[in-house]
Amino acid sequence: MGEYIRGVVVKLHLTPEQEVMFKKNYGCTRKTHNELLNKYKAKYGDDSTKIPTKTELNQFLNESKEELPYLRQTESTSLQQARDDLHKAFTNSAKSKRHHPPKFHSRKKTRPSFRQTIRQDKKPVENNTVTLRKHGEIEFSTSVENLDLLNSPETKFNNLTVYYDGLKHYAVFNIETNPPEQLSLTEEHIGCDINSNKNGWLVTSDGQKEFFDVDHDNQMIKHINRLMSRCRKGSRRWKKLQKRLQKWYNKRTNQLDDYIEKLTYQIVKKYDTIVFEENYSTIKILIGGEQNMVFPLSRFIKRLKDKFQLYKPKADGVQFVKSKNTSRTCHHCGHINKELDVKTRNWKCPNCNKILDRDVNAAINILNRWFNGGSLKNT
């Protein structure tokens, strides 16, 4: 068995008693995080940059259990995982400025979740049933492929994270299994230009344009929000609309995740190299012309890098080039049209009279710059 770590998500089917226990565990995990952080700030001050040791945090945890006896009634390893997560957050904030110092978890902004460790000599899954400490046996549903993977004797379980999305409870198994079969090299390369979703948020040097349309979802979310504004907060109709709103939020998020996973795999399978402009992270892509959802470009690029490393480690993978004049330069003759404005989507080269699509032309120039040795990063 290889050391390939992956996550498998399953949908849990709880009894009413188990659902009450889960909600208690969610609350105790969040309370533990806040109590440990509060004790740290009381000892070192709000502006302290000192990283607490695991021994200190463990002492804070024991003190919290003495002060709040109901913490002892929940599953113990989930509280220990909250302690370890807090220590990791302190460590990451000290290493990099990208990571902010740990903050208190609020009930409204924090997704309810807890994580349990799994003993190495124990297999928690049997058929479509998972056994959790303190919660007993719980039935779950997933795809046939994931079910076979979880029941395989070669699969090693590390831990299990349970979370609540506002409607349903899910579990994420962290497992070690055999790595997937690597893809063969195709010797195909592609350049990509990033735009607004109106003209295709991703335009390739082959002339393909990718669109991601969730405009209907956005309109439904707006409609339900308007209906909720006319209801008394906490009323039966308001609660019913709240569940309906959460359903549309979850649907939109799931569509985006599924779209990113499928598109990145298709690109990696077909091409050995994909070239972008270096300023991809500064471009905001509006979905359906609305500003309430921005396409996560950084996550899309990261998934591409991960899939290249997993399926094609010998390929050039994701590359970056400088973005200056990629749209204004004619890829046919090299003439730079300095008079080209942003609103013009199709233009005629004044030098060679070739009619160009602005975005496809930019994608071709991006690929040509990489071929001419203009790569900025290698992955």
Side-chain angles (χ1 to χ4, degrees), residues 71-102:
L71 293 179
R72 295 186 179 275
Q73 299 176 7
T74 190
E75 203 276 321
S76 59
T77 62
S78 59
L79 304 186
Q80 295 169 5
Q81 290 293 318
R83 174 202 63 195
D84 295 341
D85 290 344
L86 182 61
H87 182 267
K88 186 176 181 179
F90 275 112
T91 305
N92 289 339
S93 64
K95 288 182 178 179
S96 174
K97 294 181 179 180
R98 292 191 309 162
H99 298 278
H100 300 287

Side-chain angles (χ1 to χ4, degrees), residues 48-85:
S48 176
T49 57
K50 177 179 173 57
I51 301 178
T53 63
K54 288 187 177 181
T55 304
E56 287 179 306
L57 292 178
N58 192 52
Q59 182 181 356
F60 293 158
L61 177 59
N62 293 331
E63 293 175 358
S64 300
K65 288 182 178 180
E66 293 295 332
E67 297 170 1
L68 305 171
Y70 61 82
L71 293 179
R72 295 186 179 275
Q73 299 176 7
T74 190
E75 203 276 321
S76 59
T77 62
S78 59
L79 304 186
Q80 295 169 5
Q81 290 293 318
R83 174 202 63 195
D84 295 341
D85 290 344

Side-chain angles (χ1 to χ4, degrees), residues 7-19:
V8 177
V9 183
V10 301
K11 181 180 178 180
L12 301 177
H13 304 284
L14 308 179
T15 63
E17 295 78 9
Q18 289 173 335
E19 187 162 5

Side-chain angles (χ1 to χ4, degrees), residues 30 104-112:
R30 179 178 58 83
F104 291 102
H105 288 173
S106 65
R107 186 177 300 178
K108 293 183 179 180
K109 296 182 180 181
T110 306
R111 185 176 70 176

Side-chain angles (χ1 to χ4, degrees), residues 334-376:
H335 176 75
I336 300 177
N337 185 4
K338 296 183 179 180
E339 297 180 357
L340 183 66
D341 56 17
V342 179
K343 295 182 180 180
T344 304
R345 309 315 305 175
N346 295 281
W347 58 284
K348 184 177 181 180
C349 178
N351 186 46
C352 64
N353 296 324
K354 186 176 181 63
I355 299 177
L356 304 169
D357 180 289
R358 178 191 184 95
D359 304 324
V360 176
N361 176 67
I364 295 175
N365 286 327
I366 290 171
L367 181 61
N368 290 338
R369 287 188 182 181
W370 175 76
F371 272 123
N372 294 329
S375 177
L376 297 176

Side-chain angles (χ1 to χ4, degrees), residues 7 33 38 49 57 79 82 106 139 200 203 220 226 233 253 258 277 287 299 320 350 363 368-369 371 376 378:
H33 172 90
N38 188 43
T49 57
L57 292 178
L79 304 186
S106 65
E139 293 185 357
V203 181
M220 288 301 301
R226 284 195 295 266
K233 186 175 181 179
T253 302
D258 184 65
E277 295 176 333
I287 303 300
R299 178 149 63 95
F320 299 94
N368 290 338
R369 287 188 182 181
F371 272 123
L376 297 176
N378 293 317

